[in-house]
């Protein structure tokens, strides 16, 4: 049954036992999960980048340090981390997630938000920075290429082909990151935007096929976003557990 905005408002104000008009889950669950997960990931990232500069257990390299750039005393992660930070921070899905969860702006569809000053959308600092997303996309494509290279190297054990649990994790990580990156709304627009006719030329038809491919990944963009976030953290944790000698890398072929 459809729920109108006027029906949803009193329920939202009451604040207890309220459900999304479109979900059977309690309406506090999504924002809570987003706040907890993004906060933990942010704290973990800061700790790794600032205080744990070495993230390599040959042939595995932490995704937080790829590409591995050594420049003086600057921790390698700092030279790299800004790109995924800007890319994810300006991602259309994450924008929805953190605007709803951290700022309740708005908390969800058909739910009122706290009174605010003049609404300026993303036309003023700092949110105008979100318009940089397409440029962050170009940078992150380069980083994904480095991660693909790292995943290939993860099967090289002293010049011999091998497969360890780390190889599998690094491969999975780059697949999830590719699914997230190449389902980006900016790429979808690059592929199929600004065209009046998809069938009028060979180039337009090629762009239509590319647009359809990107759209397949784009449909579940939120899931790719979360899965790749966890796989980045998981791969990094695995590499550091190997470095600390807490885990030993199972090898199926070596
Ligand atoms: Fe999410 Fe571009 S919109 S990565």
């Amino acid at each position: 049954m459809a729920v109108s905005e006027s029906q949803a408002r009193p329920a939202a104000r009451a604040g207890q036992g309220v459900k999304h008009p479109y979900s059977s889950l309690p309406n506090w669950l999504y924002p809570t999960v987003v706040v907890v997960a993004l906060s933990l990931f942010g704290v973990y990232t800061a700790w790794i980048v600032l205080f744990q500069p070495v993230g390599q257990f040959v042939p595995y390299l932490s995704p937080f340090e790829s590409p591995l750039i050594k420049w003086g005393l600057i921790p390698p992660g700092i030279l790299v981390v800004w790109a995924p930070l800007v890319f994810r921070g300006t991602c259309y899905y994450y924008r929805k997630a953190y605007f709803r969860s951290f700022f309740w702006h708005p908390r969800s569809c058909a739910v009122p938000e706290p009174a605010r000053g003049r609404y300026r959308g993303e036309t003023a600092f700092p949110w105008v920075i979100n318009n940089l997303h397409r440029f962050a996309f170009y940078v992150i494509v380069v980083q994904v290429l480095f991660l693909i290279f790292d995943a290939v190297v993860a099967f090289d054990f002293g010049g011999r082909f091998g497969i360890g649990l780390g190889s599998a994790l690094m491969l999975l990580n780059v697949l999830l990151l590719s699914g997230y990156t190449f389902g980006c709304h900016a790429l979808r627009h690059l592929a199929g935007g600004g065209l009046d006719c998809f069938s009028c030329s060979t180039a337009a038809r090629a762009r239509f096929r590319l647009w359809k491919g990107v759209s397949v990944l784009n449909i579940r963009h939120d899931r790719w976003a979360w899965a790749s976030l966890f796989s980045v953290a998981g791969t990094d944790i695995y590499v550091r557990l190997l470095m600390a000698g807490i885990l030993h890398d199972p090898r199926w072929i070596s």
Side-chain angles (χ1 to χ4, degrees):
M1 186 183 76
V3 178
S4 70
E5 184 177 356
S6 58
Q7 286 173 305
R9 284 185 181 209
R13 284 197 197 100
Q16 293 199 342
V18 182
K19 313 236 184 215
H20 276 301
Y22 51 83
S23 170
S24 60
L25 298 172
N27 71 0
W28 53 264
L29 188 61
Y30 175 79
T32 304
V33 169
V34 171
V35 168
V36 171
L38 291 185
S39 301
L40 285 177
F41 186 80
V43 171
Y44 180 75
T45 301
W47 178 66
I48 287 296
V49 167
L50 295 174
F51 304 115
Q52 306 292 324
V54 181
Q56 190 171 27
F57 186 86
V58 177
Y60 309 139
L61 177 65
S62 162
F64 281 107
E65 294 180 9
S66 179
L68 189 56
I69 305 169
K70 294 185 177 159
W71 192 29
L73 295 177
I74 300 177
I78 288 190
L79 299 172
V80 171
V81 77
W82 61 272
L85 197 66
V86 174
F87 187 57
R88 288 195 186 249
T90 59
C91 163
Y92 289 68
Y93 166 68
Y94 280 116
R95 277 144 80 170
K96 178 185 116 177
Y98 65 67
F99 268 91
R100 287 187 171 186
S101 306
F102 283 85
F103 311 131
W104 291 21
H105 190 32
R107 195 174 54 181
S108 71
C109 297
V111 174
E113 56 181 316
R116 296 173 197 278
R118 193 163 63 89
Y119 178 68
R120 291 182 298 179
E122 295 183 334
T123 60
F125 186 81
W127 306 119
V128 70
I129 290 173
N130 281 329
N131 293 306
L132 294 177
H133 187 64
R134 78 181 62 176
F135 302 105
F137 170 78
Y138 304 142
V139 177
I140 218 70
V141 166
V142 175
Q143 194 184 30
V144 168
L145 293 177
F146 277 104
L147 288 163
I148 291 171
F149 175 77
D150 295 339
V152 172
V153 169
F155 291 84
D156 178 356
F157 294 88
R160 294 211 338 254
F161 175 77
I163 302 177
L165 179 55
S167 324
L169 281 178
M170 290 191 63
L171 181 61
L172 176 66
N173 181 49
V174 82
L175 288 174
L176 292 173
L177 279 171
S178 300
Y180 170 58
T181 303
F182 297 110
C184 173
H185 291 269
L187 177 59
R188 193 163 176 263
H189 177 73
L190 277 174
L195 277 180
D196 290 331
C197 174
F198 272 139
S199 59
C200 296
S201 69
T202 306
R205 284 190 288 277
R207 288 185 64 184
F208 178 59
R209 283 194 290 276
L210 181 59
W211 175 80
K212 282 208 302 188
V214 176
S215 299
V216 168
L217 294 174
N218 182 266
I219 290 170
R220 299 285 179 217
H221 192 54
D222 54 342
R223 297 186 190 179
W224 289 108
W226 284 114
S228 58
L229 191 83
F230 289 125
S231 73
V232 167
T235 306
D236 178 80
I237 290 169
Y238 183 72
V239 170
R240 289 175 198 281
L241 290 175
L242 293 178
M243 289 167 58
I246 296 171
L247 286 184
H248 295 284
D249 189 42
R251 300 270 163 87
W252 296 297
I253 302 175
S254 65

